[in-house]
Amino acid sequence: MRPPVVDSHAHVFPEISRAEGRALGVADEPWLRRDADGAGMMMTGGAEYRPVTAGLWDPAERLAAMEATGVDVQVVSSTPLMFGYDAPADRAADWCALVNERILAHCAAAPERLVPLCQVPLQDVDLACETVTAAVAAGHHGVHIGNHVGTDYLDDGAMVEFLTHCAQVGAPVLVHPWDMLGADRMAGHMLPWLVGMAAETQLTMLRLALSGAFDRLPESLRLCFAHGGGSFPYLLGRADNAWHRRDLVRADSAKPPSGYLDRFTVDSAVFDPRALRLLVEVMGADRVLLGSDYPFPLGEETPGDVVRAGIASPGDRDLILGGNAVGFFDLKGNR
Ligand code: CO
């Protein structure tokens, strides 16, 4: 039997009022404005951030889009704008509890097709661990995190502690870049999305490898990086060469970066069959999950088109379109 088509990278911004957003205690609180014409606007404080479509908050619209594009199951994660990592930790913990409850309610519209991921107050490791434990008990299938909090990346001690906890409670982790580096040099044209996100992801993956964090993290940790791992897979050879030739590079890790490829997966959101073929060659067909970035305009319009166009082997195609995600996100009960 062929596995279901699973989109592992899809976002939700549940209906959250400005008053609810204010509870986060930041000046630019995220909230969702619904407009009379059926459209919506993601807001930060009093400012319009981005116009959005109803699939972002309305489960019926989401399910209709899935039906139209042949997606059986979506793994639903919050919109990174909602992370709240700049807020005081206790406020962020309450905020995450609210967001996680709304995500569960959204996915309850079709529990066999919409798979919820929680978010956590990553700025406080104890609260983050408590939040993920509670969320998994409440029905979340895993956790969605950014790739850093300020200058602390996932190789930071507290982050390693959090990731270890996720492995212990069996929660898979989807890492999505946010708060992109160098944004002050990337004005206009969404360059932080086009360049910054790819670089943030590569930076995080290389830090995990070169710092020796992967040597400390449990092998049972399930970790997935969005956007095909950003610049990492394309430039892996450069990092490996540097590891072999410079003691500065290899000082803290037991293996070159390519030695840790079996420790994580990536999604397929690279938008070009040639790039996808390289990605699959680097990572292996069992380490790439279909991801579309639904419902944003920077996402793949028909999730899986690039996989179907780029991957010749029917077996590999089925793995990437859904087989891998069934294992990664524990989807045995889903269609
Ligand atoms: Co995304």
Side-chain angles (χ1 to χ4, degrees):
M1 207 177 80
R2 295 183 65 181
V5 173
V6 181
D7 183 354
S8 294
H9 180 173
H11 295 289
V12 62
F13 196 126
E15 291 200 48
I16 287 174
S17 68
R18 188 168 186 188
E20 288 170 328
R22 277 207 185 99
L24 188 53
V26 295
D28 52 352
E29 71 277 0
W31 59 287
L32 183 75
R33 193 185 76 199
R34 295 278 306 276
D35 297 329
D37 59 359
M41 182 68 71
M42 291 197 294
M43 303 289 293
T44 51
E48 295 184 341
Y49 185 79
R50 280 290 185 270
V52 286
T53 51
L56 188 60
W57 68 84
D58 180 347
E61 290 282 341
R62 180 183 298 278
L63 289 161
M66 289 166 62
E67 211 56 51
T69 55
V71 174
D72 298 313
V73 176
Q74 259 190 10
V75 179
V76 177
S77 50
S78 63
T79 300
L81 184 65
M82 303 162 61
F83 279 150
Y85 296 162
D86 293 336
D90 54 338
R91 297 258 197 147
D94 291 345
W95 164 253
C96 288
L98 170 78
V99 168
N100 292 341
E101 199 181 288
R102 297 277 159 90
I103 295 174
L104 274 187
H106 182 91
C107 292
E112 72 288 358
R113 300 190 65 184
L114 303 178
V115 174
L117 298 185
C118 69
Q119 66 170 41
V120 296
L122 199 56
Q123 59 270 60
D124 183 305
V125 60
D126 294 330
L127 290 174
C129 290
E130 277 174 34
T131 301
V132 77
T133 300
V136 167
H140 283 275
H141 273 246
V143 54
H144 171 228
I145 60 172
N147 66 307
H148 69 112
V149 175
T151 55
D152 292 340
Y153 278 74
L154 297 186
D155 59 311
D156 169 77
M159 300 287 194
V160 169
E161 198 181 317
F162 172 72
L163 293 173
T164 301
H165 178 80
C166 290
Q168 284 162 352
V169 298
V173 181
L174 174 63
V175 183
H176 196 296
W178 190 242
D179 185 17
M180 285 74 86
L181 79 181
D184 57 334
R185 300 191 198 178
M186 299 192 203
H189 312 110
M190 291 192 82
L191 286 169
W193 276 255
L194 302 180
V195 177
M197 281 193 164
E200 283 287 357
T201 305
Q202 180 193 24
L203 176 56
T204 307
M205 296 162 93
L206 276 180
R207 277 176 169 271
L208 282 166
L210 296 176
S211 68
F214 274 132
D215 299 319
R216 294 187 283 278
L217 284 164
E219 289 192 12
S220 59
L221 174 66
R222 285 172 280 168
L223 196 58
C224 179
F225 293 92
H227 312 128
S231 326
F232 176 89
Y234 188 67
L235 296 173
L236 178 59
R238 177 169 167 81
D240 264 22
N241 178 64
W243 190 91
H244 286 291
R245 300 188 62 178
R246 284 285 191 189
D247 53 2
L248 287 170
V249 178
R250 65 175 171 266
D252 298 318
S253 50
K255 294 184 279 192
S258 62
Y260 300 101
L261 292 178
D262 61 349
R263 304 298 296 277
F264 55 86
T265 66
V266 295
D267 81 9
S268 68
V270 294
F271 302 90
D272 183 323
R274 297 166 301 179
L276 182 65
R277 282 194 290 273
L278 174 70
L279 182 62
V280 170
E281 197 175 321
V282 170
M283 294 298 303
D286 57 343
R287 296 205 165 266
V288 181
L289 316 179
L290 171 65
S292 78
D293 232 338
Y294 176 88
F296 294 120
L298 295 192
E300 187 180 22
E301 205 161 349
T302 302
D305 270 0
V306 174
V307 174
R308 293 182 188 98
I311 304 302
S313 152
D316 288 354
R317 234 173 13 231
D318 283 352
L319 282 177
I320 297 167
L321 288 174
N324 293 331
V326 168
F328 189 87
F329 288 110
D330 296 322
L331 304 181
K332 295 289 186 296
N334 300 81
R335 112 176 193 182

